[in-house]
Amino acid sequence: SALAMCDGLFTIIKKPSIGTTIELVNAKTMAKKIYVVSNGYGHHPWIRVYADAIFQDIDAFKNFMVNMR
């Protein structure tokens, strides 16, 4: 799968999505890093369990990535 070839998963969650949740679970089972941007659903238990980091907006994610270097 494409996910198997990736270093991690980045997703923007604007509304509930079973498909996105399944991708989070699949990424976690492959030991991938999972980064989520969500202004309304970051508090959801499944997202909190599976995401390595949750950001309120894209700028917060960009700052995180810049500071990882």
Side-chain angles (χ1 to χ4, degrees), residues 2 14 29 37-39 41 43 45 47 54-55 59 63-64 69:
K14 294 183 178 181
T29 63
V37 173
S38 182
N39 192 15
Y41 297 97
H43 65 279
I47 295 172
I54 303 168
F55 305 92
D59 290 329
N63 289 335
F64 171 80
R69 294 183 198 187

Side-chain angles (χ1 to χ4, degrees), residues 6-44:
C6 297
D7 293 329
L9 176 69
F10 167 77
T11 184
I12 298 173
I13 300 175
K14 294 183 178 181
K15 63 181 182 175
S17 168
I18 295 297
T20 301
T21 304
I22 291 169
E23 290 297 324
L24 294 175
V25 173
N26 287 338
K28 186 59 84 175
T29 63
M30 294 181 200
K32 305 294 183 176
K33 289 289 187 183
I34 301 169
Y35 302 110
V36 174
V37 173
S38 182
N39 192 15
Y41 297 97
H43 65 279
H44 191 282

